[in-house]
Amino acid sequence: MRRFAVLLALCAAATCASAGPLAYITNQGSHEVTVVDVDASTIVARLPAGKSPAGIWVSEAAGKAFVSAPDSATITVIDLASRAVVGEMKAGRSPVGITVTPDGRRVLVADWFSHRVLVFDAASHAALGEIAVGNAPAGLVASPDSRTAYVANRDDNAVGVLDLDAMKQTGVIAVGNHPFALELSADGRTLYALNVWSDDVSVVDLAQSRTVATLPVGKAPYGIAFSDDGARAYVTNQKGDSVSVIDTAERRVIATWPSVVYPEGVAVAGTKLLVVSWMDDLVGVYDARTGQSLGSIELGRNPRGFGRFMHKPAAAR
């Protein structure tokens, strides 16, 4: 049974223009991306996105969103200004994790079964090469200077360090059991790895290239997002139906909030926390300060939102 259901009307992008934040959420079961006006709690577009889309990365610098679809082995390219699909790239055997360098120039895709990261030009969508990495690469994130990237080599219990100029993996950092999602602090100094089998988060000091704290969270942590000021990290616990709240300065969990069923992707939009429910086909909306439920928005089937899915138009920044 859906919880806190909100009835919404689908409106065309041309008539529902918004200067507020927009959530681009992948729906694996209905093979689409749902675009949600967060302030209005309204769906403004539904866009085809290959077969079984899972990962997404919204890049303000590139002006595009890139969507990985493992079952069609493609990356769908969405123009943020027009909310339209403008391209598709073939991407290995099973693309899952995806990121875009902060300068908006390169798209990095983790090819799960081929143990490699594929690199594309974000403007032309041309393939630039590939980087051999560890086993079952999943989540990806790039450094603020766009020269280094990090990949969760899930079956190695490690994070691979990638030199994007040399196009090779240059280091490995041990983390917990089966890391899946990764995220960086705004200053690029601290990496967070979510370990789905050990039910914890590894906090990595990148200057030291080692884990400096291990934070127990709920069962099967899947997604992570930071508050706008970076003081909090929100971690969805996929098999715990909850969100763990981390104080990033003190490196400790300060709260665990009940959430939607089987939460996966997560994002912050000002004072709102969006939590995607794979099981109930919706995104729950919460007060990011208190965890109080503010309602929910129905999506397509089996939404995931793995990566960064929030777009903040210039007027909303």
Side-chain angles (χ1 to χ4, degrees):
M1 181 177 178
R2 299 183 191 281
R3 295 189 288 174
F4 315 115
V6 174
L7 298 177
L8 301 169
L10 174 63
C11 57
T15 60
C16 295
S18 170
L22 299 172
Y24 283 69
I25 301 175
T26 52
N27 299 295
Q28 192 169 42
S30 49
H31 316 298
E32 64 183 354
V33 168
T34 302
V35 186
V36 177
D37 182 319
V38 176
D39 290 343
S41 294
T42 305
I43 295 173
V44 297
R46 294 186 187 274
L47 306 172
K51 189 175 181 181
S52 305
I56 186 164
W57 200 273
V58 171
S59 170
E60 308 292 357
K64 299 173 182 177
F66 296 86
V67 182
S68 65
D71 287 354
S72 56
T74 56
I75 304 299
T76 298
V77 186
I78 299 169
D79 179 77
L80 297 177
S82 62
R83 299 179 202 158
V85 173
V86 294
E88 184 179 87
M89 299 117 71
K90 291 298 294 181
R93 293 174 57 195
S94 185
V96 181
I98 189 166
T99 193
V100 182
T101 53
D103 61 10
R105 296 177 57 191
R106 287 177 283 192
V107 183
L108 311 179
V109 181
D111 192 5
W112 180 273
F113 290 119
S114 297
H115 319 305
R116 57 182 177 167
V117 168
L118 311 176
V119 184
F120 297 87
D121 185 285
S124 69
H125 311 157
L128 298 177
E130 61 185 60
I131 302 171
V133 295
N135 292 300
L140 285 158
V141 67
S143 62
D145 65 5
S146 300
R147 299 184 65 182
T148 305
Y150 305 91
V151 59
N153 294 324
R154 197 197 74 153
D155 290 357
D156 295 338
N157 301 331
V159 170
V161 181
L162 312 183
D163 183 322
L164 298 181
D165 294 328
M167 292 283 282
K168 65 180 181 180
Q169 180 171 291
T170 57
V172 174
I173 303 170
V175 291
N177 199 345
H178 280 46
F180 192 71
L182 300 178
E183 189 53 285
L184 276 174
S185 59
D187 61 12
R189 297 176 181 176
T190 307
L191 180 75
Y192 293 75
L194 277 57
N195 307 305
V196 293
W197 279 19
S198 50
D199 303 329
D200 53 30
V201 175
S202 297
V203 182
V204 177
D205 184 317
L206 292 174
Q208 302 179 53
S209 295
R210 68 180 184 89
T211 296
V212 293
T214 300
L215 310 180
V217 289
K219 189 167 181 60
Y222 182 93
I224 181 171
F226 291 100
S227 58
D228 289 343
D229 62 4
R232 287 182 169 189
Y234 302 93
V235 174
T236 55
N237 301 308
Q238 191 183 57
K239 297 180 181 179
D241 297 346
S242 63
V243 173
S244 295
V245 185
I246 296 171
D247 183 309
T248 57
E250 297 185 3
R251 294 176 177 168
R252 66 183 182 92
V253 175
I254 57 173
T256 300
W257 297 335
S259 74
V260 294
V261 175
Y262 217 78
E264 295 205 344
V266 60
V268 173
T271 60
K272 294 179 179 179
L273 182 70
L274 276 63
V275 182
V276 177
S277 170
W278 187 87
M279 195 72 72
D280 280 348
D281 302 341
L282 55 79
V283 58
V285 184
Y286 299 87
D287 187 308
R289 299 160 297 189
T290 66
Q292 178 183 1
S293 174
L294 303 175
S296 65
I297 303 165
E298 294 189 17
L299 303 170
R301 294 195 307 274
N302 305 129
R304 306 214 80 142
F306 177 53
R308 289 188 193 172
F309 60 77
M310 190 63 62
H311 168 44
K312 297 179 181 178
R317 293 178 217 162

